[in-house]
């Protein structure tokens, strides 16, 4: 599909989308991960394809089938996702960072499976890189006009936390996601979000399907194109 001429409001645009929860190994069989089904990110990929964009989906492991027509870059760890994002956004028009990226990884993962009879492991964690902050820093340095959309899944002070992430990560838009409601956030088909734009506009969407939320995010990409 990337090779085909597309029609639609995003024809000729290249959108990079990340989805799923990255996995940080503890040993060859165990990982630390984040709750994320990938549904919202995959829905954004589908909506961007429907709008005629060329779509690259950088995906951590999920149980979903990627939408037909996007270029899929599978990754596991936050470091792999970071490398893929930096490569794939070098010539893209927008990045939508829907992935739940691990904030911490093991300082040293075990190369052999840890046997439970022998020991209860003490896990020493270190910070991972902030992918969005890196992208923003590179953009500031190069002047390359990449639009950047982030997500903020919050359990408290939703708008204040989202607003501070918008500023700190120098985003164009942050999708603030209330994860306390049972009909929003992880795994379910619906979502409750407020869009917070860099220009100060906010837009609270009603409870709706993740596909609808995705279409509204893609509308923002269209407004910028
Ligand atoms: N993100 C990222 N790199 C990370 C962590 C997060 O690019 N290492 C992105 C996420 O994909 C999301 C946005 O940053 O689009 C906000 O993620 P979130 O976890 O809400 O914010 P953090 O900055 O990690 O802060 P905290 O988890 O402490 O709330
Ligand atoms: Ca985080």
């Amino acid at each position: 599909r990337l090779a085909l001429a597309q029609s639609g409001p995003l024809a000729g645009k290249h959108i990079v989308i990340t989805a799923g929860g990255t996995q940080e190994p503890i040993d060859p069989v165990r990982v630390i991960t984040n709750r994320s089904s990938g549904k919202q990110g995959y829905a954004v990929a589908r909506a961007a394809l429907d709008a005629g964009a060329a779509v690259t989906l950088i995906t951590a492991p999920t149980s979903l089938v990627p939408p037909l027509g996007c270029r899929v870059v599978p990754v596991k760890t936050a470091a792999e996702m970071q490398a893929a994002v930096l490569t794939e956004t070098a010539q893209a028009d927008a990045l939508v960072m829907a992935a739940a990226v691990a904030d911490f990884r093991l300082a040293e993962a075990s190369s052999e499976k840890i046997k439970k009879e022998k020991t209860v492991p003490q896990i020493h964690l270190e910070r991972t890189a902030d992918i969005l902050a890196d992208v923003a820093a590179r953009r500031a340095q190069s002047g390359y006009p990449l639009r950047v959309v982030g997500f903020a899944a919050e359990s408290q002070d939703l708008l204040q936390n989202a607003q501070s992430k918008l500023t700190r990560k120098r985003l164009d838009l942050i999708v603030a996601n209330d994860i306390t409601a049972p009909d929003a956030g992880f795994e379910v088909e619906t979502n409750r979000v407020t869009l917070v734009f860099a220009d100060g506009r906010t837009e609270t969407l009603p409870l709706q399907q993740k596909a609808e939320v995705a279409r509204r995010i893609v509308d923002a990409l269209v407004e910028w194109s």
Side-chain angles (χ1 to χ4, degrees), residues 18 34 78 81 96-104 127-134 149-154 161 165 168-169 171 174:
T18 68
N34 278 284
M81 183 168 280
V96 180
M97 197 73 201
V101 185
D103 293 318
F104 312 104
R127 282 276 301 269
T128 57
D130 190 305
I131 301 172
L132 276 177
D134 287 357
V149 178
F151 278 71
E154 305 290 349
N161 280 325
K165 281 174 189 170
R168 183 158 46 86
K169 298 176 190 253
L171 308 175
I174 194 154

Side-chain angles (χ1 to χ4, degrees), residues 108-119:
E108 212 171 342
S110 171
S111 58
E112 303 294 342
K113 183 179 178 187
I114 299 164
K115 301 307 290 178
K116 68 181 180 188
E117 299 296 351
K118 286 198 188 134
T119 173

Side-chain angles (χ1 to χ4, degrees), residues 17-22 33-46 57-67 81 96-100 151 177 185-189 191 210-211 214:
I17 297 154
T18 68
T22 63
T33 190
N34 278 284
R35 289 184 65 191
S36 169
S37 62
K39 280 178 184 163
Q40 187 62 77
Y42 278 50
V44 175
R46 196 167 292 116
L57 178 63
I58 301 172
T59 182
T62 72
S63 60
L64 305 174
V65 178
M81 183 168 280
V96 180
M97 197 73 201
F151 278 71
N177 201 172
F186 306 121
E187 279 110 35
V188 297
E189 295 298 331
N191 219 348
K210 287 181 174 174

Side-chain angles (χ1 to χ4, degrees), residues 137-150:
R138 191 184 61 173
R139 183 177 53 165
Q141 212 175 30
S142 67
Y144 183 81
L146 177 77
R147 295 290 189 165
V148 182
V149 178

Side-chain angles (χ1 to χ4, degrees), residues 24-208:
E24 307 303 323
I26 296 171
D27 68 14
V29 299
R30 303 177 177 101
V31 297
I32 294 177
T33 190
N34 278 284
R35 289 184 65 191
S36 169
S37 62
K39 280 178 184 163
Q40 187 62 77
Y42 278 50
V44 175
R46 196 167 292 116
L49 284 167
D50 288 346
V55 175
T56 300
L57 178 63
I58 301 172
T59 182
T62 72
S63 60
L64 305 174
V65 178
L68 203 67
C70 52
R71 202 165 83 80
V72 180
V73 179
V75 298
K76 288 204 172 75
T77 65
E80 288 168 11
M81 183 168 280
Q82 178 192 32
V85 167
L86 289 174
T87 303
E88 300 298 330
T89 56
Q91 297 185 45
D93 296 286
L95 167 66
V96 180
M97 197 73 201
V101 185
D103 293 318
F104 312 104
R105 67 165 164 246
L106 268 78
E108 212 171 342
S110 171
S111 58
E112 303 294 342
K113 183 179 178 187
I114 299 164
K115 301 307 290 178
K116 68 181 180 188
E117 299 296 351
K118 286 198 188 134
T119 173
V120 176
Q122 300 297 306
I123 290 176
H124 181 61
L125 299 175
E126 63 183 21
R127 282 276 301 269
T128 57
D130 190 305
I131 301 172
L132 276 177
D134 287 357
V135 167
R138 191 184 61 173
R139 183 177 53 165
Q141 212 175 30
S142 67
Y144 183 81
L146 177 77
R147 295 290 189 165
V148 182
V149 178
F151 278 71
E154 305 290 349
S155 63
Q156 55 183 348
D157 302 328
L158 177 67
L159 292 185
Q160 295 91 313
N161 280 325
Q163 182 68 54
S164 80
K165 281 174 189 170
L166 177 83
T167 312
R168 183 158 46 86
K169 298 176 190 253
R170 290 182 270 188
L171 308 175
D172 297 290
L173 165 63
I174 194 154
V175 182
N177 201 172
D178 181 356
I179 57 165
T180 58
D183 51 9
F186 306 121
E187 279 110 35
V188 297
E189 295 298 331
T190 51
N191 219 348
R192 284 179 193 277
V193 306
T194 297
L195 307 186
V196 183
F197 292 88
D199 64 10
R201 268 184 305 145
T202 68
E203 189 181 320
T204 299
L205 306 185
L207 173 72
Q208 54 189 8

